[in-house]
């Protein structure tokens, strides 16, 4: 785990050196919850994608992973672009990933914005952006957003495929 990253739900998977009387740790459990904070900067979009891909790569089917990584990328981009997390020098974006038997749930928490709230818009064909929540709405099994005095959270769920 890197600085700012936390695993919740079960013991880590640290490996012990092999030797006389020492057994290797078991393989990582397939389910759990992880949390990590990223700076409110553009580079955090690719860092969040890589982190999620590393966490989930051997835990979920490739189509589920692809959808989760795409949607995470869109939601983190929105957090960095449209919230106080991206405007403040010390802004942070927190990502929480939960993997269970039903699929993957992701929540992205940012510093909020006094000028707007997350909303799905029909994409303009010629526009470079503006498709983030539209994609979330189309690909996620469920999603939502909420705001309070400390910021905004956008969450989505991608169901496991059998």
């Amino acid at each position: 785990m890197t600085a700012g990253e936390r695993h919740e739900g079960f013991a880590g998977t640290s490996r012990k050196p092999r030797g006389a009387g020492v057994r290797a740790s078991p393989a990582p459990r397939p389910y759990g919850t992880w949390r990590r904070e990223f700076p409110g900067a553009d580079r955090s979009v690719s860092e969040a994608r890589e982190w999620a891909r590393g966490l989930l790569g051997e835990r979920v089917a490739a189509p589920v992973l692809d959808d989760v990584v795409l949607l995470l990328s869109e939601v983190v981009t929105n957090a960095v672009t449209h919230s106080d997390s991206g405007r403040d020098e010390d802004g942070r974006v927190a990502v929480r990933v939960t993997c269970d038997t039903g699929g993957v749930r992701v929540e992205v928490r940012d510093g909020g914005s006094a000028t707007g709230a997350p909303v799905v818009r029909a994409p303009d064909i010629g526009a470079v952006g503006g498709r983030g929540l539209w994609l979330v709405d189309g690909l996620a099994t469920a999603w939502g957003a909420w705001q309070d005095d400390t910021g905004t959270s956008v969450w989505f769920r991608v169901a496991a495929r059998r």
Side-chain angles (χ1 to χ4, degrees):
M1 277 189 264
T2 62
E5 181 177 347
R6 187 173 77 211
H7 181 262
E8 303 167 359
F10 57 85
T13 58
S14 62
R15 304 232 182 249
K16 295 179 183 176
R18 291 180 187 225
V22 178
R23 295 187 321 186
S25 297
R29 295 184 183 176
Y31 308 119
T33 297
W34 302 266
R35 184 181 184 281
R36 182 169 168 190
E37 286 193 353
F38 298 89
D42 290 338
R43 73 176 190 271
S44 293
V45 177
S46 62
E47 290 173 6
R49 266 194 316 258
E50 289 175 31
W51 176 69
R53 192 171 290 285
L55 282 176
L56 301 172
E58 294 187 21
R59 290 181 166 91
V60 299
V64 173
L65 179 62
D66 290 343
D67 286 353
V68 168
V69 170
L70 172 64
L71 300 182
L72 173 63
S73 179
E74 295 295 335
V75 175
V76 172
T77 296
N78 285 351
V80 169
T81 304
H82 302 295
S83 82
D84 291 344
S85 292
R87 290 189 277 273
D88 294 343
E89 184 176 320
D90 295 326
R92 308 293 291 169
V93 175
V95 178
R96 182 178 172 139
V97 175
T98 300
C99 181
D100 59 32
T101 57
V104 178
R105 184 184 189 278
V106 175
E107 182 175 347
V108 176
R109 179 100 177 135
D110 62 44
S113 174
T115 61
V119 63
V120 176
R121 294 188 178 99
D124 180 358
I125 300 269
V128 174
R131 291 172 179 80
L133 287 179
W134 180 77
L135 285 169
V136 171
D137 191 54
L139 293 176
T141 307
W143 76 277
W146 57 274
Q147 293 179 293
D148 61 21
D149 293 340
T150 63
T152 301
S153 287
V154 175
W155 65 271
F156 63 86
R157 182 160 185 79
V158 176
R161 297 185 185 144
R162 305 201 193 282

